[in-house]
Structure formats: C-alpha cells, structure tokens
Amino acid sequence: MTRTAAVVGGGHTRWGKREATWKDLAQEAGKEAFDDVPGVGPSDIEGLFVGAVQPERFAFQSHVAPLVAELLGIDVDSMIARTELACASGQAALRYAWLAIAAGQLDTALVIGVEKMNLPDDHTEEMQSSMMNVVDREFDGVNGLNAPSYFSLIAQRHMHEYGTTKEQLAAVSAKNKTHAASNPYAQFQKEIDVDDVLESYPVAPPLNLFDCSGITDGAAALVLVSEEKARELTDTAAYITGSGQSCMASNSINNLPSLSAWPQATVAAEQAYEQAGIEDPVEALDVAEIHDCFSISEIVEYEDLGWVEKGEGGRFVEDGRSALDGDIAVNPRGGLLGCGHPLGATGISQALEIYRQFAGDVPDARQVPDGPETGLIHNLSGSASVHSVMTLARDPQ
Amino acid sequence: MTRTAAVVGGGHTRWGKREATWKDLAQEAGKEAFDDVPGVGPSDIEGLFVGAVQPERFAFQSHVAPLVAELLGIDVDSMIARTELACASGQAALRYAWLAIAAGQLDTALVIGVEKMNLPDDHTEEMQSSMMNVVDREFDGVNGLNAPSYFSLIAQRHMHEYGTTKEQLAAVSAKNKTHAASNPYAQFQKEIDVDDVLESYPVAPPLNLFDCSGITDGAAALVLVSEEKARELTDTAAYITGSGQSCMASNSINNLPSLSAWPQATVAAEQAYEQAGIEDPVEALDVAEIHDCFSISEIVEYEDLGWVEKGEGGRFVEDGRSALDGDIAVNPRGGLLGCGHPLGATGISQALEIYRQFAGDVPDARQVPDGPETGLIHNLSGSASVHSVMTLARDPQ
C-alpha cells in the first residue's frame, strides 16, 4: 500500500431497541464523532462512507448516504456512497475509506454504520422475513435456512468432528456478555455465567437464546484520516496496518465444501497478516473484535484466523486464552452477543473499540491490561462464505 | 493519484423489459465480459465491485455481490462489496474499483451493475412505490415528489429563467433516442424526431413521455485493470484520468438553493478536470455519456459541467454542438432516454460505451468520427444534489 490511514476518534449510540429512526441514530453517532475529535468538523470531511444493509426494507429508504450528509451538515466534495456486504457492511465501508486515503484521493473521512432493525410490533414479521435476504433466498431462504438454523448446523458439525461442548459454546457467550456489562453502549448489560447460557431457552439446538446475538438498532461512526494528518491530531491513533477479504464462489449451503471450517477466514486473515508483517498472530495481537453472531462462530474463528489448530477452538476459550488477560483479549466490547448486531454498524463499532482500547479510553472492567498496541477486527457475511479482516496498530509498522 | 486503472473490455445485456431475474442479467453481462477480454477469466479476478440500488425491494435479496461471484464462478481473494448511490451506483462501484487499483490493493477487477426493475404486473404498484426511495421519503416522497414531478419543476424553472424551449428539450430526446436506434442493447430502438417528442403524451408538463427515461431491466460489466496490466493486454484501453464527486448538505427539495442550477455538477467536474489536466473541456473532450434521466437534465448538465454559459444549454443542442459530429458527441450510446435506466447498471454501461468508442467497436451509425480519444461520464442521484464525474482517455495523460 502507498500510505495508510488511521482512526482518530468516533461516536457511538446506545444500541438496543431504540425509540428512534435510522436518521436519528446516524445523526447521534456522527455528532458524537465530531465532538470526539477536536480539529475535525463537518467542513473538514472530504469523504462520507456509509455502511447499511437494508434501509430499503427497514425504513423504505435508499440513497441513504446523502441523507446522512444532510443530517450532519456535510458538503462532501470528494467521495460519497453507501456500502452493503450484509453483516460485514461496516468493515467494507471502512475499507473503502482507507483505500480512498491510501490512493491519495482524500485526507479526512467520516465512516458511519447504521441499522434500525426493530420495527413497530405490527411489522415484526416483515423484519424477520427481511433477515432472510442475507442468504440466497431462492436456494436457502426458501427452505427456511435463516441464521439461527444455519449456525446450529455449524455447531452440530463442529461438536461432531472435534468434540466441542455446549459448555465451551456457553463460555464464549458468558465472556462476551460479561464484557458488555461494562459497555454503556451495549444492548445487553448484565453479567452472566456459563450456567445462565445453558439454562436459557433453546432456539436452534445446540444454540440457546444466550448463544445468539440480538435484533438491534444502533449506529457507530469513525473519523478516519491520513497518517500525516493523524500525527498532527493525536498520539493515540489506531493505524490500519492490513486488510484482507475473501469470498468463496460457493455461497448457497448446497455448494459449501464444509460446515465446520471457514477457509475464507484463513485467506482473509493471511492477506491482512502479510500486509501488517504479522507472522505469529497470537504473539502479535493484543486485542481482537471478531464476529460472534453466534457463540459457535467465535470458536470457529479462533481456528480459522490461524490462532490455534483446527478443532482446538473450544479449548481456547475454556482455558481463558481469549479472556481480557489471555493470549488475545477477544471481544472486550462485548461482541455481537453482548452489544447486539445492528448490521451495518457492527464493523465500525469494532474498530472504534480497538481505537479506544489503544487510547485507554474504556471502563477499567473491560480495559485490556498492559497497554494494547495491536488489534484485529473480523466480520463474516452471508453463509459465512465471505470473510473480512483488518489489523490495526497504535504505532504504524 | 498514485497509479491509474483502465477499462479493457466488458459485457452488456439487452436492456428493456426482460423475462429474466437480476441473477440472469448479472450472469449474462459478466460472462460476456470474460468473452470480451482474452487473458482474463474468473480465476484472475481479485476484486468484484457490484452496483445495485434496491435488490432488497425489487428481488427481496441483499448481500448480492457474493451471489454474483457464485454465478460467475469467481473466488474473490481481495475485495468484494456492493455499492449504492441511487442512480449513480454504477459509477460509484467503478470508482471504488479504480481506488483499489490505485492504492495497490489489487490489479484486476470485475465491475458489474445490475437492476431488475420490471416486476410482474401485480407488483407494478410496489415497484413504483419503491422508486420513491431515492428521494427523502419523509420530506419529499410523502408529498408526491417522485422523479418526473421533480424534474418537471426543474424544466419549468429553467424555461422561466433562461427561455429554454420545449423544442430544445425535445431535441435532446430526439438525438439520444436516434442514437439508441443503432444500439442493439438499448431499450428503445426507434429513430424519432422533435415532433414525435412534442406529440408524445404529457407526463409532468413540460415533460412528455419521450422526455423521460424508462423503467428498465439490465446489467453491464467492465473488466478494470492496473495500467501496467492494461498495456500488456491491449492497445485500446480506456484509462481513468480523473474522478470527482460532490454532495450538497441540502438534499430535500425544501433545502435546495436553486432548481435550475446544479452547483455540485460543477464541483465534481472541476475535480475530475483538474486530475485529468483538462483546462477547456469543450476543447478537450471528444465524447461524453451524461445523465439524461429527463431531457432537461442534459441541458442543465451542458451548463454545469462547464461547457457553456449558464442558460445556453438549450442552444447547445439546438445548434448541434452535442451531435455525433459536434463539439462533444453527447450520449452516442443513446443515453438513459434511449437505452433505459436500470439504476445500478447505467454508469457501467456509460463507461463501456466510452471504451468501445475509443476502440472503434460500435456500429458506424453511432461511431463518433475522427477517432475519439478523450471521454467523460456523468451521473446525478437523488434530487440532483449529488453528482459524479469521471474522465477517461485512450492514452493516459
């Protein structure tokens, strides 16, 4: 890459079931981002990058990026668009902002992810039906393959092949939801333990309610600037050091080579590690926000992001290696399980957490100890056939 | 910019009312693109960039980019996402592909724009309602401000301020639809004259039916590669020389400073001209594909792209200065008026036309004479408060 970009601050709404429109949420996160970064205001923004999945269905509105510009009073004079890659839309938007800066097209960008998913009670069925849009409707959706049923198949297969246990799944949820208890922006702010997960009601066996992320309204925003500008503005920037993405030509479940392995996560991670100069990720990474849409996801990701041997993911959490004081602190923000998952906003929120962890700007209860300096974000989308990985560092490498 | 990218070929479906799904259309255009570029096949594609506006509403499907990868057998190992900027989505996707190449992230990309807009007869009302999503629904859509009524206001104001005539509007439509008669991909393939436009039935006065673009199903695809790779592959590449975009903080009609002028078109064009080293666009440009969603649009664009003084747009077409053998050959493809406007595909089709004009690979009846070597594409979106401009050249500058 020619030059890199850095997160220098951001904004975040409370996530959950909000009495607010998508516009309210985007505006709230964007305004907080401007408050968070002295020296950057609406008139400094050259590019506006919006991550959102289906405002067309949830709010009957397209062309959302210019409406965000209007809400925040930004005359955008270089780049504007909205990016959609289902559950990875936020990271995809951030990646385009980074590329625009890397290519020299602009120096200062605002990246906003937003999704308003909870509809009025009489539209709940429409919301649920719309969630089927992220899988292939014609082949998978029509057969009832929504997200919980699909990830239950993954969990069943992983348990069958590697002896992964329900207790190990529950350990992921207990860890992340407990982290979320100290995140004032999180949807679920209650400490729970493994037994609470095991005793929550079954959704799609072996996945119980607390193994599943929520239906969430929320937004998050980042100010992303060129590295030169970052050095002028702050000494706590989070520099993007690598970024990878991989999409299998097989998407529909009937074409997937495996249920228990996500080879695209490995490819995407290796791309990012190579750019970042990371040879041993467990050694190199201090903190990671990875896509725990369901508890099983985080276990598969430990393995396929190259942190442990295949099949050892369950033990990675059981042994505390992904705890705050473990080998890599995983999902200190609370993850999707604790924070909820407003689709377009998740990747942005993850990157903001990495920035705030570097800056020491989170409550003590979820601060990764010993001054974390390297981090990673990961998102999957669709039938987990697409993976996106980005690495960040407090000091550019 | 660090390095540029070039179009080296592409594919295009027949546009119109098609008995085909959006998947059929994307696959047809993508396969033709691979046939068009010897030496580039699915396994060479590192990035897939999809432009589409509302597959969520027209086909109840999101996460469309990975489905396109699957349809074309592409394992994408660097970048994949879909881009939405309403009627400018195609150009926005192309721009991201260019940035990814400029930043050094990849060398070979496929850019596909697609929209399936004609729904079964019993869903026509839903399609029409969905078209209101590209304006601000809460402020403008709810008051009935759909596209024809909005552009009729622009036409009325332009006629009032500058004396623009219905005959001048009709001259735009007659020119573009006559060009489309020699485009086998166009939705409307019939030569018409000014009287035909004036005699077509009124839609939103002063705009008659033939002053309006259609509701269109279609797709178009481009192979975009780094300049080094373009030189290896072909000697008829279309190199991207500049790109600009501008979005006013005012979007809703009640916030627009003017109906008859589009200052963002001027800003976006000046950005592109500066990057391309263009001082006098009329002198420099041989061919242009600009956003004639309605006949009045093309007239305002002549002015606000900096080609003539404000108010002189009507005379520009009347005097034949935008004809094939004029100062700038405008919309030789047939424009949106002749080809139709499948939202996400339009910008891609425009760029493909520039490439084919450079290569001399269009029917004689619409070939711009004397070997065109410089071109421009332009799109507007929403309430014409956002403008996107890209310049291309047969030889990089």
Side-chain angles (χ1 to χ4, degrees):
Chain A
M1 297 295 294
T2 46
R3 66 172 183 170
T4 193
V7 178
V8 293
H12 207 293
T13 71
R14 171 75 197 260
W15 284 10
K17 194 166 179 174
R18 291 283 308 267
E19 294 292 330
T21 68
W22 76 271
K23 285 183 178 178
D24 297 330
L25 296 167
Q27 191 173 37
E28 187 182 331
K31 288 177 83 165
E32 189 181 294
F34 289 129
D35 290 342
D36 194 45
V37 186
V40 175
S43 64
D44 298 300
I45 299 300
E46 299 164 288
L48 177 62
F49 300 79
V50 175
V53 179
Q54 7 188 6
E56 288 82 2
R57 293 215 72 86
F58 295 142
F60 217 23
Q61 180 69 62
S62 194
H63 204 234
V64 292
L67 298 187
V68 174
E70 183 168 34
L71 289 163
L72 292 169
I74 304 172
D75 285 302
V76 180
D77 273 348
S78 181
M79 297 205 74
I80 185 165
R82 159 232 188 170
T83 300
E84 181 273 309
L85 187 67
C87 304
S89 297
Q91 184 176 157
L94 173 58
R95 204 161 184 239
Y96 281 147
W98 165 66
L99 282 179
I101 289 172
Q105 182 76 3
L106 51 88
D107 287 295
T108 305
L110 186 68
V111 191
I112 291 194
V114 60
E115 212 84 42
K116 167 69 183 176
M117 300 175 70
N118 288 289
L119 303 185
D121 286 347
D122 56 343
H123 285 74
T124 298
E125 196 178 338
E126 186 179 337
M127 179 274 288
Q128 290 171 334
S129 173
S130 293
M131 285 301 295
M132 305 286 280
N133 285 351
V134 300
V135 299
D136 188 320
R137 284 197 83 87
E138 291 179 304
F139 291 102
D140 296 335
V142 74
N143 291 310
L145 200 74
N146 61 11
S149 62
Y150 178 62
F151 284 86
S152 82
L153 296 177
I154 292 171
Q156 288 171 33
R157 187 71 198 170
H158 204 275
M159 292 166 83
H160 171 74
E161 286 188 33
Y162 304 115
T164 303
T165 66
K166 283 190 72 162
E167 288 73 14
Q168 290 169 337
L169 299 180
V172 169
S173 300
K175 168 179 71 71
N176 294 352
K177 284 179 181 278
T178 296
H179 291 164
S182 64
N183 184 346
Y185 299 120
Q187 184 167 16
F188 307 104
Q189 298 182 21
K190 191 178 168 197
E191 290 193 26
I192 62 168
D193 61 20
V194 166
D195 287 338
D196 292 324
V197 183
L198 294 173
E199 289 161 14
S200 63
Y201 72 79
V203 170
L207 303 176
N208 289 352
L209 180 65
F210 289 172
D211 290 293
C212 307
S213 54
I215 298 294
T216 313
D217 310 330
L222 293 172
V223 176
L224 192 79
V225 301
S226 62
E227 50 187 323
E228 300 78 13
K229 187 152 181 149
R231 287 199 195 92
E232 291 167 27
L233 287 168
T234 176
D235 57 2
T236 59
Y239 295 81
I240 296 173
T241 54
S243 174
Q245 209 176 26
S246 182
C247 166
M248 206 186 301
S250 308
N251 207 294
S252 171
I253 188 175
N254 57 62
N255 284 337
L256 293 177
S258 165
L259 280 172
S260 59
W262 295 337
Q264 270 51 50
T266 307
V267 175
E270 285 174 351
Q271 290 172 15
Y273 296 157
E274 188 184 338
Q275 286 186 349
I278 291 173
E279 290 184 5
D280 178 345
V282 177
E283 175 70 28
L285 295 171
D286 299 323
V287 54
E289 287 281 335
I290 66 178
H291 202 94
D292 58 328
C293 46
F294 297 90
S295 54
I296 181 62
S297 310
E298 186 168 315
I299 287 175
V300 179
E301 289 153 14
Y302 296 151
E303 301 166 355
D304 292 336
L305 293 172
W307 302 352
V308 289
E309 292 296 310
K310 195 69 205 167
E312 295 292 317
R315 199 168 314 170
F316 193 78
V317 63
E318 198 171 57
D319 293 349
R321 296 180 64 191
S322 56
L324 277 188
D325 61 353
D327 293 354
I328 304 176
V330 178
N331 287 326
R333 184 182 66 110
L336 285 62
L337 289 165
C339 292
H341 181 30
L343 312 174
T346 287
I348 309 295
S349 172
Q350 291 174 318
L352 182 59
E353 176 73 10
I354 301 293
Y355 164 80
R356 289 184 173 162
Q357 286 283 348
F358 289 173
D361 191 23
V362 296
D364 289 346
R366 73 174 210 269
Q367 174 69 52
V368 176
D370 303 324
E373 296 196 336
T374 54
L376 173 147
I377 66 170
H378 160 270
N379 298 103
L380 63 81
S381 51
S383 54
S385 60
V386 189
H387 291 263
S388 304
V389 174
M390 183 176 278
T391 52
L392 301 106
R394 180 158 172 175
D395 296 304
Q397 297 176 344
Chain B
M1 298 295 292
T2 47
R3 66 172 184 170
T4 193
V7 178
V8 292
H12 207 293
T13 71
R14 172 75 197 262
W15 284 10
K17 195 168 181 174
R18 291 283 308 265
E19 294 292 330
T21 68
W22 76 272
K23 285 183 176 177
D24 298 330
L25 296 167
Q27 191 172 39
E28 186 182 331
K31 289 177 82 166
E32 189 180 295
F34 289 128
D35 290 343
D36 194 44
V37 185
V40 175
S43 64
D44 299 300
I45 299 301
E46 299 164 289
L48 177 62
F49 300 79
V50 175
V53 179
Q54 10 189 4
E56 287 83 2
R57 292 217 72 86
F58 296 143
F60 217 22
Q61 180 69 61
S62 194
H63 203 233
V64 291
L67 298 187
V68 174
E70 183 168 34
L71 290 163
L72 292 169
I74 304 172
D75 285 303
V76 180
D77 274 349
S78 182
M79 297 206 74
I80 184 165
R82 160 230 187 170
T83 301
E84 180 273 311
L85 188 67
C87 304
S89 297
Q91 185 175 158
L94 173 58
R95 202 162 186 241
Y96 282 147
W98 164 68
L99 282 179
I101 290 172
Q105 182 75 3
L106 52 87
D107 287 294
T108 305
L110 186 68
V111 191
I112 291 195
V114 61
E115 213 85 42
K116 166 70 185 176
M117 300 175 71
N118 287 288
L119 303 184
D121 286 347
D122 55 343
H123 286 73
T124 298
E125 196 176 338
E126 187 179 336
M127 179 274 289
Q128 290 171 334
S129 173
S130 295
M131 287 300 296
M132 305 286 280
N133 286 351
V134 300
V135 299
D136 189 320
R137 283 196 82 88
E138 291 180 304
F139 291 102
D140 295 334
V142 74
N143 291 311
L145 199 75
N146 62 10
S149 61
Y150 178 61
F151 284 85
S152 83
L153 296 177
I154 292 171
Q156 287 171 31
R157 187 71 198 171
H158 204 275
M159 291 165 84
H160 171 75
E161 286 187 34
Y162 303 115
T164 302
T165 65
K166 284 189 72 161
E167 287 73 15
Q168 291 169 337
L169 299 180
V172 169
S173 300
K175 168 177 72 69
N176 293 353
K177 285 181 180 276
T178 296
H179 291 164
S182 64
N183 184 346
Y185 299 121
Q187 183 167 17
F188 307 104
Q189 298 182 21
K190 190 178 167 197
E191 291 193 26
I192 63 167
D193 61 21
V194 166
D195 286 339
D196 292 323
V197 182
L198 294 174
E199 289 161 13
S200 63
Y201 71 78
V203 171
L207 303 176
N208 289 354
L209 181 66
F210 289 171
D211 289 293
C212 308
S213 54
I215 299 293
T216 312
D217 311 328
L222 293 173
V223 176
L224 192 79
V225 301
S226 61
E227 50 186 323
E228 301 78 13
K229 188 153 180 143
R231 287 200 196 91
E232 290 167 28
L233 286 168
T234 175
D235 57 1
T236 58
Y239 295 81
I240 297 173
T241 54
S243 173
Q245 209 176 27
S246 183
C247 166
M248 205 186 300
S250 309
N251 206 294
S252 170
I253 187 174
N254 56 62
N255 284 337
L256 294 177
S258 165
L259 279 171
S260 59
W262 295 337
Q264 270 51 48
T266 307
V267 174
E270 285 175 351
Q271 288 172 17
Y273 297 157
E274 188 183 338
Q275 286 186 349
I278 290 173
E279 291 185 5
D280 178 346
V282 177
E283 175 70 27
L285 296 171
D286 298 322
V287 54
E289 287 282 333
I290 66 177
H291 202 94
D292 59 327
C293 46
F294 297 89
S295 53
I296 181 62
S297 310
E298 186 167 314
I299 287 175
V300 179
E301 289 153 13
Y302 296 151
E303 300 165 355
D304 292 335
L305 293 172
W307 301 351
V308 290
E309 291 296 310
K310 195 68 205 166
E312 294 293 318
R315 200 168 314 172
F316 193 76
V317 62
E318 196 171 59
D319 292 349
R321 296 181 64 192
S322 56
L324 277 188
D325 61 353
D327 293 353
I328 304 176
V330 178
N331 287 328
R333 183 182 67 111
L336 284 63
L337 289 165
C339 293
H341 181 28
L343 312 175
T346 287
I348 310 294
S349 172
Q350 291 174 317
L352 183 59
E353 177 74 9
I354 301 292
Y355 164 80
R356 289 184 172 163
Q357 286 283 347
F358 289 174
D361 192 22
V362 296
D364 290 346
R366 73 175 211 268
Q367 174 68 52
V368 176
D370 304 325
E373 297 195 335
T374 54
L376 173 147
I377 66 170
H378 160 270
N379 298 104
L380 63 82
S381 52
S383 54
S385 60
V386 189
H387 291 262
S388 304
V389 173
M390 184 176 275
T391 52
L392 301 106
R394 181 160 171 171
D395 295 305
Q397 294 176 348

